[in-house]
Amino acid sequence: MAKETATDRIVRELRETPAGQADLLLLQEVKQAPGQGKCSAEQLASSLGMHAVYSPAETGVTDQGLAIVSRFPLHDVETKALKRYDLRFRSRSRIVLAATMDTPWGPVRVVNTHLDTRVNAAQRLEQLQPVIHSASQFKGPRIVGGDFNSNPFYWVANVIPFPALRSQALEVNDFMTGNGFRSAVPVSKTTFDYLRMHLDWIWLQGLDARESAVYPLAFSDHHAVLTRVEFPSGL
């Protein structure tokens, strides 16, 4: 949500796309203007008649938050800090935001995160470990998603990029698959136009992906990643 702060414009665009029918939205770079009681995602949820939970990345930082917006009630909200890396400039605090969503078919644990940009595969997977740990504490269906920033570079001193021998998207895919998750979107899909990178993911455990799509949104610098999921029973 880095490009647009006007809730009415975001709502208008969502209603004109398949995302407007979504029961669940995982949002990153959520802003909370000084003096406003609600962040942009909570305002969005109010306009759509949905529930929302939100966390800033850290106290005093108002444009890097995470939010989960759901058509169903949310509870057992948890926020954890991820490992912080010194990126020399534009370093950020990264977090994971989790909540249980009470659907008509049963509870689902939802986990949203936004990982660092200029880190290498080993550092990215280390930052991802608490995300997996958070999801694993729930004994039931799980959805893990967000901007993993899984770029195709090897970073020297977290500043200078070189083409990596193996894309971080493939490393992330192997890591998540090894932890029992399945990607709802093929690794080959582009979610960020620059160099056709796959940065954004939806991972499922205990749920089946029936269809998926990736398409641009004007209010985001990334493409939307959308999937329809079903419980294994088919309900």
mmCIF file with all atom_site columns, all heavy atoms in Angstrom, residues 149-168:
data_model
loop_
_atom_site.group_PDB
_atom_site.id
_atom_site.type_symbol
_atom_site.label_atom_id
_atom_site.label_alt_id
_atom_site.label_comp_id
_atom_site.label_asym_id
_atom_site.label_entity_id
_atom_site.label_seq_id
_atom_site.pdbx_PDB_ins_code
_atom_site.Cartn_x
_atom_site.Cartn_y
_atom_site.Cartn_z
_atom_site.occupancy
_atom_site.B_iso_or_equiv
_atom_site.pdbx_formal_charge
_atom_site.auth_seq_id
_atom_site.auth_comp_id
_atom_site.auth_asym_id
_atom_site.auth_atom_id
_atom_site.pdbx_PDB_model_num
ATOM 1   N N   . ASN A 1 149 ? 10.203 -10.394 -0.805  1.00 0.00 ? 149 ASN A N   1
ATOM 2   C CA  . ASN A 1 149 ? 11.331 -9.742  -1.482  1.00 0.00 ? 149 ASN A CA  1
ATOM 3   C C   . ASN A 1 149 ? 12.358 -10.742 -2.001  1.00 0.00 ? 149 ASN A C   1
ATOM 4   O O   . ASN A 1 149 ? 13.579 -10.496 -1.961  1.00 0.00 ? 149 ASN A O   1
ATOM 5   C CB  . ASN A 1 149 ? 11.988 -8.718  -0.549  1.00 0.00 ? 149 ASN A CB  1
ATOM 6   C CG  . ASN A 1 149 ? 11.332 -7.355  -0.646  1.00 0.00 ? 149 ASN A CG  1
ATOM 7   O OD1 . ASN A 1 149 ? 11.076 -6.855  -1.734  1.00 0.00 ? 149 ASN A OD1 1
ATOM 8   N ND2 . ASN A 1 149 ? 11.020 -6.757  0.501   1.00 0.00 ? 149 ASN A ND2 1
ATOM 9   N N   . SER A 1 150 ? 11.908 -11.845 -2.521  1.00 0.00 ? 150 SER A N   1
ATOM 10  C CA  . SER A 1 150 ? 12.777 -12.938 -2.968  1.00 0.00 ? 150 SER A CA  1
ATOM 11  C C   . SER A 1 150 ? 13.365 -12.622 -4.341  1.00 0.00 ? 150 SER A C   1
ATOM 12  O O   . SER A 1 150 ? 12.912 -13.119 -5.358  1.00 0.00 ? 150 SER A O   1
ATOM 13  C CB  . SER A 1 150 ? 11.994 -14.252 -2.993  1.00 0.00 ? 150 SER A CB  1
ATOM 14  O OG  . SER A 1 150 ? 10.677 -14.075 -3.491  1.00 0.00 ? 150 SER A OG  1
ATOM 15  N N   . ASN A 1 151 ? 14.390 -11.782 -4.355  1.00 0.00 ? 151 ASN A N   1
ATOM 16  C CA  . ASN A 1 151 ? 14.961 -11.265 -5.596  1.00 0.00 ? 151 ASN A CA  1
ATOM 17  C C   . ASN A 1 151 ? 16.043 -12.194 -6.152  1.00 0.00 ? 151 ASN A C   1
ATOM 18  O O   . ASN A 1 151 ? 16.499 -13.114 -5.469  1.00 0.00 ? 151 ASN A O   1
ATOM 19  C CB  . ASN A 1 151 ? 15.512 -9.852  -5.353  1.00 0.00 ? 151 ASN A CB  1
ATOM 20  C CG  . ASN A 1 151 ? 16.582 -9.855  -4.267  1.00 0.00 ? 151 ASN A CG  1
ATOM 21  O OD1 . ASN A 1 151 ? 17.700 -10.305 -4.496  1.00 0.00 ? 151 ASN A OD1 1
ATOM 22  N ND2 . ASN A 1 151 ? 16.242 -9.354  -3.086  1.00 0.00 ? 151 ASN A ND2 1
ATOM 23  N N   . PRO A 1 152 ? 16.497 -11.962 -7.384  1.00 0.00 ? 152 PRO A N   1
ATOM 24  C CA  . PRO A 1 152 ? 17.465 -12.855 -8.025  1.00 0.00 ? 152 PRO A CA  1
ATOM 25  C C   . PRO A 1 152 ? 18.917 -12.402 -7.872  1.00 0.00 ? 152 PRO A C   1
ATOM 26  O O   . PRO A 1 152 ? 19.746 -12.673 -8.743  1.00 0.00 ? 152 PRO A O   1
ATOM 27  C CB  . PRO A 1 152 ? 17.035 -12.798 -9.491  1.00 0.00 ? 152 PRO A CB  1
ATOM 28  C CG  . PRO A 1 152 ? 16.557 -11.395 -9.661  1.00 0.00 ? 152 PRO A CG  1
ATOM 29  C CD  . PRO A 1 152 ? 15.916 -11.010 -8.358  1.00 0.00 ? 152 PRO A CD  1
ATOM 30  N N   . PHE A 1 153 ? 19.239 -11.704 -6.776  1.00 0.00 ? 153 PHE A N   1
ATOM 31  C CA  . PHE A 1 153 ? 20.569 -11.117 -6.627  1.00 0.00 ? 153 PHE A CA  1
ATOM 32  C C   . PHE A 1 153 ? 21.364 -11.734 -5.489  1.00 0.00 ? 153 PHE A C   1
ATOM 33  O O   . PHE A 1 153 ? 20.807 -12.273 -4.533  1.00 0.00 ? 153 PHE A O   1
ATOM 34  C CB  . PHE A 1 153 ? 20.463 -9.612  -6.382  1.00 0.00 ? 153 PHE A CB  1
ATOM 35  C CG  . PHE A 1 153 ? 19.748 -8.865  -7.469  1.00 0.00 ? 153 PHE A CG  1
ATOM 36  C CD1 . PHE A 1 153 ? 18.582 -8.172  -7.195  1.00 0.00 ? 153 PHE A CD1 1
ATOM 37  C CD2 . PHE A 1 153 ? 20.237 -8.852  -8.766  1.00 0.00 ? 153 PHE A CD2 1
ATOM 38  C CE1 . PHE A 1 153 ? 17.910 -7.484  -8.192  1.00 0.00 ? 153 PHE A CE1 1
ATOM 39  C CE2 . PHE A 1 153 ? 19.571 -8.170  -9.773  1.00 0.00 ? 153 PHE A CE2 1
ATOM 40  C CZ  . PHE A 1 153 ? 18.407 -7.481  -9.484  1.00 0.00 ? 153 PHE A CZ  1
ATOM 41  N N   . TYR A 1 154 ? 22.685 -11.620 -5.617  1.00 0.00 ? 154 TYR A N   1
ATOM 42  C CA  . TYR A 1 154 ? 23.594 -11.829 -4.490  1.00 0.00 ? 154 TYR A CA  1
ATOM 43  C C   . TYR A 1 154 ? 24.102 -10.449 -4.091  1.00 0.00 ? 154 TYR A C   1
ATOM 44  O O   . TYR A 1 154 ? 24.617 -9.702  -4.931  1.00 0.00 ? 154 TYR A O   1
ATOM 45  C CB  . TYR A 1 154 ? 24.770 -12.726 -4.887  1.00 0.00 ? 154 TYR A CB  1
ATOM 46  C CG  . TYR A 1 154 ? 25.742 -12.899 -3.744  1.00 0.00 ? 154 TYR A CG  1
ATOM 47  C CD1 . TYR A 1 154 ? 25.509 -13.844 -2.741  1.00 0.00 ? 154 TYR A CD1 1
ATOM 48  C CD2 . TYR A 1 154 ? 26.885 -12.102 -3.657  1.00 0.00 ? 154 TYR A CD2 1
ATOM 49  C CE1 . TYR A 1 154 ? 26.380 -13.987 -1.679  1.00 0.00 ? 154 TYR A CE1 1
ATOM 50  C CE2 . TYR A 1 154 ? 27.761 -12.240 -2.598  1.00 0.00 ? 154 TYR A CE2 1
ATOM 51  C CZ  . TYR A 1 154 ? 27.500 -13.183 -1.612  1.00 0.00 ? 154 TYR A CZ  1
ATOM 52  O OH  . TYR A 1 154 ? 28.357 -13.318 -0.553  1.00 0.00 ? 154 TYR A OH  1
ATOM 53  N N   . TRP A 1 155 ? 23.947 -10.099 -2.799  1.00 0.00 ? 155 TRP A N   1
ATOM 54  C CA  . TRP A 1 155 ? 24.255 -8.750  -2.331  1.00 0.00 ? 155 TRP A CA  1
ATOM 55  C C   . TRP A 1 155 ? 25.600 -8.718  -1.624  1.00 0.00 ? 155 TRP A C   1
ATOM 56  O O   . TRP A 1 155 ? 25.829 -9.461  -0.675  1.00 0.00 ? 155 TRP A O   1
ATOM 57  C CB  . TRP A 1 155 ? 23.163 -8.251  -1.383  1.00 0.00 ? 155 TRP A CB  1
ATOM 58  C CG  . TRP A 1 155 ? 21.840 -8.101  -2.069  1.00 0.00 ? 155 TRP A CG  1
ATOM 59  C CD1 . TRP A 1 155 ? 20.853 -9.035  -2.182  1.00 0.00 ? 155 TRP A CD1 1
ATOM 60  C CD2 . TRP A 1 155 ? 21.380 -6.944  -2.761  1.00 0.00 ? 155 TRP A CD2 1
ATOM 61  N NE1 . TRP A 1 155 ? 19.797 -8.542  -2.902  1.00 0.00 ? 155 TRP A NE1 1
ATOM 62  C CE2 . TRP A 1 155 ? 20.084 -7.264  -3.271  1.00 0.00 ? 155 TRP A CE2 1
ATOM 63  C CE3 . TRP A 1 155 ? 21.912 -5.690  -3.006  1.00 0.00 ? 155 TRP A CE3 1
ATOM 64  C CZ2 . TRP A 1 155 ? 19.341 -6.352  -4.010  1.00 0.00 ? 155 TRP A CZ2 1
ATOM 65  C CZ3 . TRP A 1 155 ? 21.168 -4.779  -3.734  1.00 0.00 ? 155 TRP A CZ3 1
ATOM 66  C CH2 . TRP A 1 155 ? 19.902 -5.105  -4.229  1.00 0.00 ? 155 TRP A CH2 1
ATOM 67  N N   . VAL A 1 156 ? 26.476 -7.834  -2.091  1.00 0.00 ? 156 VAL A N   1
ATOM 68  C CA  . VAL A 1 156 ? 27.760 -7.609  -1.446  1.00 0.00 ? 156 VAL A CA  1
ATOM 69  C C   . VAL A 1 156 ? 27.590 -6.485  -0.434  1.00 0.00 ? 156 VAL A C   1
ATOM 70  O O   . VAL A 1 156 ? 27.161 -5.380  -0.797  1.00 0.00 ? 156 VAL A O   1
ATOM 71  C CB  . VAL A 1 156 ? 28.848 -7.249  -2.465  1.00 0.00 ? 156 VAL A CB  1
ATOM 72  C CG1 . VAL A 1 156 ? 30.163 -6.910  -1.763  1.00 0.00 ? 156 VAL A CG1 1
ATOM 73  C CG2 . VAL A 1 156 ? 29.038 -8.386  -3.454  1.00 0.00 ? 156 VAL A CG2 1
ATOM 74  N N   . ALA A 1 157 ? 27.847 -6.795  0.844   1.00 0.00 ? 157 ALA A N   1
ATOM 75  C CA  . ALA A 1 157 ? 27.717 -5.823  1.937   1.00 0.00 ? 157 ALA A CA  1
ATOM 76  C C   . ALA A 1 157 ? 26.308 -5.257  2.021   1.00 0.00 ? 157 ALA A C   1
ATOM 77  O O   . ALA A 1 157 ? 26.109 -4.139  2.480   1.00 0.00 ? 157 ALA A O   1
ATOM 78  C CB  . ALA A 1 157 ? 28.737 -4.700  1.798   1.00 0.00 ? 157 ALA A CB  1
ATOM 79  N N   . ASN A 1 158 ? 25.316 -6.020  1.572   1.00 0.00 ? 158 ASN A N   1
ATOM 80  C CA  . ASN A 1 158 ? 23.908 -5.601  1.608   1.00 0.00 ? 158 ASN A CA  1
ATOM 81  C C   . ASN A 1 158 ? 23.647 -4.315  0.829   1.00 0.00 ? 158 ASN A C   1
ATOM 82  O O   . ASN A 1 158 ? 22.677 -3.611  1.095   1.00 0.00 ? 158 ASN A O   1
ATOM 83  C CB  . ASN A 1 158 ? 23.420 -5.418  3.049   1.00 0.00 ? 158 ASN A CB  1
ATOM 84  C CG  . ASN A 1 158 ? 23.517 -6.701  3.841   1.00 0.00 ? 158 ASN A CG  1
ATOM 85  O OD1 . ASN A 1 158 ? 24.345 -6.820  4.735   1.00 0.00 ? 158 ASN A OD1 1
ATOM 86  N ND2 . ASN A 1 158 ? 22.682 -7.672  3.519   1.00 0.00 ? 158 ASN A ND2 1
ATOM 87  N N   . VAL A 1 159 ? 24.507 -4.046  -0.161  1.00 0.00 ? 159 VAL A N   1
ATOM 88  C CA  . VAL A 1 159 ? 24.363 -2.812  -0.943  1.00 0.00 ? 159 VAL A CA  1
ATOM 89  C C   . VAL A 1 159 ? 24.477 -3.074  -2.439  1.00 0.00 ? 159 VAL A C   1
ATOM 90  O O   . VAL A 1 159 ? 23.660 -2.600  -3.235  1.00 0.00 ? 159 VAL A O   1
ATOM 91  C CB  . VAL A 1 159 ? 25.427 -1.763  -0.516  1.00 0.00 ? 159 VAL A CB  1
ATOM 92  C CG1 . VAL A 1 159 ? 25.354 -0.537  -1.430  1.00 0.00 ? 159 VAL A CG1 1
ATOM 93  C CG2 . VAL A 1 159 ? 25.239 -1.353  0.930   1.00 0.00 ? 159 VAL A CG2 1
ATOM 94  N N   . ILE A 1 160 ? 25.494 -3.834  -2.860  1.00 0.00 ? 160 ILE A N   1
ATOM 95  C CA  . ILE A 1 160 ? 25.802 -3.985  -4.278  1.00 0.00 ? 160 ILE A CA  1
ATOM 96  C C   . ILE A 1 160 ? 25.244 -5.309  -4.788  1.00 0.00 ? 160 ILE A C   1
ATOM 97  O O   . ILE A 1 160 ? 25.597 -6.371  -4.278  1.00 0.00 ? 160 ILE A O   1
ATOM 98  C CB  . ILE A 1 160 ? 27.320 -3.935  -4.519  1.00 0.00 ? 160 ILE A CB  1
ATOM 99  C CG1 . ILE A 1 160 ? 27.894 -2.628  -3.951  1.00 0.00 ? 160 ILE A CG1 1
ATOM 100 C CG2 . ILE A 1 160 ? 27.633 -4.049  -6.018  1.00 0.00 ? 160 ILE A CG2 1
ATOM 101 C CD1 . ILE A 1 160 ? 29.408 -2.589  -3.943  1.00 0.00 ? 160 ILE A CD1 1
ATOM 102 N N   . PRO A 1 161 ? 24.357 -5.273  -5.796  1.00 0.00 ? 161 PRO A N   1
ATOM 103 C CA  . PRO A 1 161 ? 23.762 -6.511  -6.306  1.00 0.00 ? 161 PRO A CA  1
ATOM 104 C C   . PRO A 1 161 ? 24.543 -7.107  -7.473  1.00 0.00 ? 161 PRO A C   1
ATOM 105 O O   . PRO A 1 161 ? 25.035 -6.389  -8.345  1.00 0.00 ? 161 PRO A O   1
ATOM 106 C CB  . PRO A 1 161 ? 22.376 -6.050  -6.765  1.00 0.00 ? 161 PRO A CB  1
ATOM 107 C CG  . PRO A 1 161 ? 22.605 -4.635  -7.232  1.00 0.00 ? 161 PRO A CG  1
ATOM 108 C CD  . PRO A 1 161 ? 23.697 -4.080  -6.368  1.00 0.00 ? 161 PRO A CD  1
ATOM 109 N N   . PHE A 1 162 ? 24.635 -8.435  -7.472  1.00 0.00 ? 162 PHE A N   1
ATOM 110 C CA  . PHE A 1 162 ? 25.147 -9.189  -8.610  1.00 0.00 ? 162 PHE A CA  1
ATOM 111 C C   . PHE A 1 162 ? 24.139 -10.289 -8.919  1.00 0.00 ? 162 PHE A C   1
ATOM 112 O O   . PHE A 1 162 ? 23.470 -10.791 -8.008  1.00 0.00 ? 162 PHE A O   1
ATOM 113 C CB  . PHE A 1 162 ? 26.508 -9.819  -8.288  1.00 0.00 ? 162 PHE A CB  1
ATOM 114 C CG  . PHE A 1 162 ? 27.639 -8.836  -8.240  1.00 0.00 ? 162 PHE A CG  1
ATOM 115 C CD1 . PHE A 1 162 ? 27.990 -8.217  -7.050  1.00 0.00 ? 162 PHE A CD1 1
ATOM 116 C CD2 . PHE A 1 162 ? 28.345 -8.523  -9.388  1.00 0.00 ? 162 PHE A CD2 1
ATOM 117 C CE1 . PHE A 1 162 ? 29.032 -7.303  -7.000  1.00 0.00 ? 162 PHE A CE1 1
ATOM 118 C CE2 . PHE A 1 162 ? 29.392 -7.613  -9.353  1.00 0.00 ? 162 PHE A CE2 1
ATOM 119 C CZ  . PHE A 1 162 ? 29.737 -6.997  -8.161  1.00 0.00 ? 162 PHE A CZ  1
ATOM 120 N N   . PRO A 1 163 ? 24.021 -10.687 -10.179 1.00 0.00 ? 163 PRO A N   1
ATOM 121 C CA  . PRO A 1 163 ? 23.113 -11.800 -10.488 1.00 0.00 ? 163 PRO A CA  1
ATOM 122 C C   . PRO A 1 163 ? 23.511 -13.045 -9.693  1.00 0.00 ? 163 PRO A C   1
ATOM 123 O O   . PRO A 1 163 ? 24.676 -13.447 -9.696  1.00 0.00 ? 163 PRO A O   1
ATOM 124 C CB  . PRO A 1 163 ? 23.306 -12.000 -11.997 1.00 0.00 ? 163 PRO A CB  1
ATOM 125 C CG  . PRO A 1 163 ? 23.808 -10.679 -12.490 1.00 0.00 ? 163 PRO A CG  1
ATOM 126 C CD  . PRO A 1 163 ? 24.658 -10.123 -11.392 1.00 0.00 ? 163 PRO A CD  1
ATOM 127 N N   . ALA A 1 164 ? 22.549 -13.627 -9.018  1.00 0.00 ? 164 ALA A N   1
ATOM 128 C CA  . ALA A 1 164 ? 22.813 -14.815 -8.215  1.00 0.00 ? 164 ALA A CA  1
ATOM 129 C C   . ALA A 1 164 ? 22.828 -16.055 -9.107  1.00 0.00 ? 164 ALA A C   1
ATOM 130 O O   . ALA A 1 164 ? 22.182 -16.096 -10.160 1.00 0.00 ? 164 ALA A O   1
ATOM 131 C CB  . ALA A 1 164 ? 21.767 -14.962 -7.121  1.00 0.00 ? 164 ALA A CB  1
ATOM 132 N N   . LEU A 1 165 ? 23.572 -17.065 -8.678  1.00 0.00 ? 165 LEU A N   1
ATOM 133 C CA  . LEU A 1 165 ? 23.582 -18.324 -9.409  1.00 0.00 ? 165 LEU A CA  1
ATOM 134 C C   . LEU A 1 165 ? 22.205 -18.984 -9.369  1.00 0.00 ? 165 LEU A C   1
ATOM 135 O O   . LEU A 1 165 ? 21.826 -19.692 -10.300 1.00 0.00 ? 165 LEU A O   1
ATOM 136 C CB  . LEU A 1 165 ? 24.629 -19.264 -8.816  1.00 0.00 ? 165 LEU A CB  1
ATOM 137 C CG  . LEU A 1 165 ? 26.087 -18.811 -8.960  1.00 0.00 ? 165 LEU A CG  1
ATOM 138 C CD1 . LEU A 1 165 ? 27.004 -19.800 -8.259  1.00 0.00 ? 165 LEU A CD1 1
ATOM 139 C CD2 . LEU A 1 165 ? 26.453 -18.677 -10.427 1.00 0.00 ? 165 LEU A CD2 1
ATOM 140 N N   . ARG A 1 166 ? 21.460 -18.727 -8.286  1.00 0.00 ? 166 ARG A N   1
ATOM 141 C CA  . ARG A 1 166 ? 20.124 -19.313 -8.131  1.00 0.00 ? 166 ARG A CA  1
ATOM 142 C C   . ARG A 1 166 ? 19.221 -18.259 -7.488  1.00 0.00 ? 166 ARG A C   1
ATOM 143 O O   . ARG A 1 166 ? 19.571 -17.672 -6.466  1.00 0.00 ? 166 ARG A O   1
ATOM 144 C CB  . ARG A 1 166 ? 20.186 -20.558 -7.243  1.00 0.00 ? 166 ARG A CB  1
ATOM 145 C CG  . ARG A 1 166 ? 18.925 -21.417 -7.264  1.00 0.00 ? 166 ARG A CG  1
ATOM 146 C CD  . ARG A 1 166 ? 19.205 -22.762 -6.616  1.00 0.00 ? 166 ARG A CD  1
ATOM 147 N NE  . ARG A 1 166 ? 18.110 -23.704 -6.823  1.00 0.00 ? 166 ARG A NE  1
ATOM 148 C CZ  . ARG A 1 166 ? 17.200 -23.987 -5.897  1.00 0.00 ? 166 ARG A CZ  1
ATOM 149 N NH1 . ARG A 1 166 ? 17.255 -23.418 -4.696  1.00 0.00 ? 166 ARG A NH1 1
ATOM 150 N NH2 . ARG A 1 166 ? 16.234 -24.860 -6.164  1.00 0.00 ? 166 ARG A NH2 1
ATOM 151 N N   . SER A 1 167 ? 18.072 -18.011 -8.083  1.00 0.00 ? 167 SER A N   1
ATOM 152 C CA  . SER A 1 167 ? 17.158 -16.985 -7.576  1.00 0.00 ? 167 SER A CA  1
ATOM 153 C C   . SER A 1 167 ? 16.715 -17.302 -6.151  1.00 0.00 ? 167 SER A C   1
ATOM 154 O O   . SER A 1 167 ? 16.481 -18.466 -5.788  1.00 0.00 ? 167 SER A O   1
ATOM 155 C CB  . SER A 1 167 ? 15.925 -16.875 -8.472  1.00 0.00 ? 167 SER A CB  1
ATOM 156 O OG  . SER A 1 167 ? 14.967 -16.028 -7.887  1.00 0.00 ? 167 SER A OG  1
ATOM 157 N N   . GLN A 1 168 ? 16.572 -16.264 -5.350  1.00 0.00 ? 168 GLN A N   1
ATOM 158 C CA  . GLN A 1 168 ? 16.069 -16.445 -3.989  1.00 0.00 ? 168 GLN A CA  1
ATOM 159 C C   . GLN A 1 168 ? 14.634 -16.963 -3.981  1.00 0.00 ? 168 GLN A C   1
ATOM 160 O O   . GLN A 1 168 ? 14.207 -17.570 -3.008  1.00 0.00 ? 168 GLN A O   1
ATOM 161 C CB  . GLN A 1 168 ? 16.175 -15.134 -3.207  1.00 0.00 ? 168 GLN A CB  1
ATOM 162 C CG  . GLN A 1 168 ? 17.598 -14.717 -2.916  1.00 0.00 ? 168 GLN A CG  1
ATOM 163 C CD  . GLN A 1 168 ? 17.676 -13.519 -2.008  1.00 0.00 ? 168 GLN A CD  1
ATOM 164 O OE1 . GLN A 1 168 ? 16.759 -13.229 -1.243  1.00 0.00 ? 168 GLN A OE1 1
ATOM 165 N NE2 . GLN A 1 168 ? 18.777 -12.785 -2.071  1.00 0.00 ? 168 GLN A NE2 1
#
